[in-house]
Amino acid sequence: MKIAIDAMGGDHAPAEIIKGAVEAAKEFGIEVLLVGQQAVIQDQLKSFKNLDSMVSIIDAPDVVGFDEHATQAVKEKPRSSVMVGMRLLRGKGVSAFVSAGHTGAVLFAALMTLGKVHGIQRPALGALIKTQQKPVLLLDAGATTDCRPYYLVQFAYMGSIYMNKVWGVENPRVGLLANGEEEIKGNLLVRSTHQLLKQAKLNFVGNVEGRDILKQTVDVIVTDGFTGNVALKSLEGMGESIFSSLKTVFNSNIQFRLAGLFLRPALRAVAKQVDYSEYGGAPLLGVRGNVIVAHGRSQSKAIKNAIRLAKQTVDQGLPQAMMEEKLWLNQ
Amino acid sequence: MKIAIDAMGGDHAPAEIIKGAVEAAKEFGIEVLLVGQQAVIQDQLKSFKNLDSMVSIIDAPDVVGFDEHATQAVKEKPRSSVMVGMRLLRGKGVSAFVSAGHTGAVLFAALMTLGKVHGIQRPALGALIKTQQKPVLLLDAGATTDCRPYYLVQFAYMGSIYMNKVWGVENPRVGLLANGEEEIKGNLLVRSTHQLLKQAKLNFVGNVEGRDILKQTVDVIVTDGFTGNVALKSLEGMGESIFSSLKTVFNSNIQFRLAGLFLRPALRAVAKQVDYSEYGGAPLLGVRGNVIVAHGRSQSKAIKNAIRLAKQTVDQGLPQAMMEEKLWLNQ
């Protein structure tokens, strides 16, 4: 299996991206294609031995910065790593493309190059949230900020298919993110969506609140990309805040420091729960190709895990299964 | 100072509400009026000694349940504790009214009985979020789920006045909750609001993300009531999840248990950060009276703190100051 990686995208590109990609190639027995400025990548690869044919470079001289306007940058830089990677994917040169670059640029490049799945109105970024057992998929995590009710219904279908195929969840439970559990709760969008979801061929269990996201009462949580993004970053912010306070406590005196050291393995397990790098990436659902968006702050571990996720998705026959699906055509 | 308390509202009403109110009366030297079913309250009060004139009962025979339709219940039950409390407040029989009851009912009763501050289009519930130093005020936390840009601008003005008067923050920094820091980020509502906020007579510092809510980079965070509610409950959910995992770790073996016991005082300090009962309540801004909405799950400590907050608000001359303000009339 060949997977392309955007070597230039992300806060820690190219070093951490390349490191993660090399590790993934070795560990998962796949071939990785590093897309980016050839000379830069070549230089970085010098420190790795025995790569043989596991790692190759695809030159992409342009770079899209985080401060650039997404659509403009993508249009004006057809030889950026994001665009070169997408074209590889479209031409079936690779089975998946992973990028930790500018999310807006990745999204726009995917729409421009791959196009949407037949019948799907808008793409959605699916965030995999770690819980005690299988992950919960929250979508949209930021691809489509302004949504209509039937976009959310399509997100629910795509999310259900994804959780079923890739994570083996039978008849995934779908929840609608709202400001209360009762059917009458929600803004206009949510109240309309609730009624549509009740009629859909889905295992819709009703509204869920921000507090329920981590409780595994559902497998798929649908929301617009604006709210989803705010909710995810709020979860993340609280996790960071608590662990930073705990660190301060453990460093406040020598006894606490010792207790902290003793508890470290157990605390690590708790910290894993709030670690975005655990799955490494978010599948972009609704486009005609296997695109995984990694966190901008990704380091090698996150990139390796994002590539694992890409492989797993390909192994389970996505996005082909999604492209052949007709569930949303009659809505 | 006289403050009315909804004795029948909340998951732990009436026992915990009454306990909190009695403690508040003793500790803050105020007079509390318990509003609710007389016989029930009388019975509960038997267990307290030496109340003298600190605590009195205002009979309100009707009760609004959490599963009732807010507007309907308020209309059909004029003698509910919520409505009786609001009428006391309107008639200046009390300086503030605190309720842990059905938020929708409290909101609707306030609008019906007190009315809105001159020029304010929609009320907002201001959630006080605990950080290292002074709280951050996030509004709207759930009063107005569908907003227009100028509603959010009014929330920003009200929030700034509140943080200045009640919490002594000079020139409060205002942030707009969004899915990215850049000006072009946001849904349609947020992008329009951003432009209006730039022109307003406010210390507007730009967009803030979910991750920044706890970072104290701003004093006031404005958002629509739907998003605000989801964000707050997400923060809460992550806090609960981490502390529940920590508890599991500490109980997993005897050594960890001892380490946990040893660390307890320090952990308590960290836990306080995620404890909604720390401030006890959320001020309802934009109505012509001092209404504090307490969390439905409030126990006596939260109620006591909500009453403290009500007293503090009255001491600092709100909502009078807000009612005399003209800032939003020329927008």
Side-chain angles (χ1 to χ4, degrees), chain B residues 251-317:
Chain B
N251 289 330
S252 63
N253 66 46
I254 183 72
Q255 288 95 333
F256 283 175
R257 204 186 183 92
L258 289 172
L261 277 174
F262 175 69
L263 285 165
R264 190 184 278 179
L267 291 173
R268 281 238 172 100
V270 177
K272 258 196 165 183
Q273 270 185 59
V274 298
D275 185 359
Y276 69 88
S277 65
E278 198 55 24
Y279 294 114
L284 180 60
L285 302 178
V287 296
R288 298 175 64 81
N290 201 336
V291 178
I292 303 282
V293 176
H295 207 294
R297 293 189 288 163
S298 293
Q299 295 196 316
S300 63
K301 180 189 156 200
I303 295 297
K304 192 185 81 176
N305 288 343
I307 297 171
R308 186 210 313 268
L309 186 68
K311 178 180 181 297
Q312 193 176 339
T313 312
V314 175
D315 284 341
Q316 300 307 323

Side-chain angles (χ1 to χ4, degrees), chain B residues 34-54:
Chain B
L34 296 168
V35 186
Q37 292 173 320
Q38 189 152 20
V40 174
I41 300 174
Q42 252 161 1
D43 189 55
Q44 291 278 338
L45 279 178
K46 277 181 195 152
S47 53
F48 299 97
K49 306 285 171 217
N50 307 322
L51 293 180
D52 304 327
S53 62
M54 287 190 299

Side-chain angles (χ1 to χ4, degrees), chain B residues 26-84:
Chain B
K26 288 185 176 171
E27 198 170 321
F28 313 139
I30 55 167
E31 200 181 327
V32 299
L33 282 70
L34 296 168
V35 186
Q37 292 173 320
Q38 189 152 20
V40 174
I41 300 174
Q42 252 161 1
D43 189 55
Q44 291 278 338
L45 279 178
K46 277 181 195 152
S47 53
F48 299 97
K49 306 285 171 217
N50 307 322
L51 293 180
D52 304 327
S53 62
M54 287 190 299
V55 179
S56 51
I57 303 174
I58 304 291
D59 189 37
D62 298 341
V63 171
V64 175
F66 265 93
D67 50 348
E68 288 191 66
H69 191 279
T71 53
Q72 208 171 322
V74 166
K75 278 183 197 162
E76 288 169 6
K77 294 178 175 173
R79 298 195 307 162
S80 64
S81 52
V82 174
M83 282 301 280
V84 171

Side-chain angles (χ1 to χ4, degrees), chain A residues 129-148:
Chain A
I129 299 166
K130 178 121 181 121
T131 64
Q132 302 285 335
Q133 294 146 40
K134 283 184 180 175
V136 169
L137 182 75
L138 183 145
L139 75 173
D140 175 24
T144 307
T145 47
D146 287 281
C147 288
R148 291 171 189 275

Side-chain angles (χ1 to χ4, degrees), chain B residues 42-208:
Chain B
Q42 252 161 1
D43 189 55
Q44 291 278 338
L45 279 178
K46 277 181 195 152
S47 53
F48 299 97
K49 306 285 171 217
N50 307 322
L51 293 180
D52 304 327
S53 62
M54 287 190 299
V55 179
S56 51
I57 303 174
I58 304 291
D59 189 37
D62 298 341
V63 171
V64 175
F66 265 93
D67 50 348
E68 288 191 66
H69 191 279
T71 53
Q72 208 171 322
V74 166
K75 278 183 197 162
E76 288 169 6
K77 294 178 175 173
R79 298 195 307 162
S80 64
S81 52
V82 174
M83 282 301 280
V84 171
M86 290 295 175
R87 283 198 298 269
L88 269 175
L89 186 56
R90 188 185 56 186
K92 312 253 187 269
V94 292
S95 304
F97 178 50
V98 175
S99 175
H102 190 313
T103 304
V106 174
L107 176 64
F108 186 66
L111 285 172
M112 246 179 72
T113 313
L114 309 170
K116 284 178 288 190
V117 167
H118 180 55
I120 291 294
Q121 298 286 327
R122 293 287 185 283
L125 201 56
L128 290 161
I129 299 166
K130 178 120 181 121
T131 64
Q132 301 287 333
Q133 293 146 41
K134 282 184 182 174
V136 170
L137 181 75
L138 183 144
L139 75 172
D140 176 23
T144 306
T145 48
D146 288 280
C147 288
R148 292 171 187 274
Y150 62 94
Y151 297 178
L152 297 196
V153 176
Q154 294 191 335
F155 296 171
Y157 277 121
M158 291 195 293
S160 295
I161 294 168
Y162 179 85
M163 288 308 288
N164 176 256
K165 299 276 181 202
V166 181
W167 295 91
V169 179
E170 287 296 325
N171 203 19
R173 295 160 299 174
V174 174
L176 174 62
L177 191 58
N179 58 332
E181 288 175 7
E182 306 85 349
E183 191 172 327
I184 51 158
K185 285 293 177 80
N187 54 13
L188 289 174
L189 172 67
V190 165
R191 293 204 300 274
S192 303
T193 305
H194 191 108
Q195 297 310 314
L196 293 182
L197 284 172
K198 283 209 302 193
Q199 295 155 24
K201 293 185 194 78
L202 287 162
N203 184 8
F204 177 53
V205 299
N207 290 352
V208 293

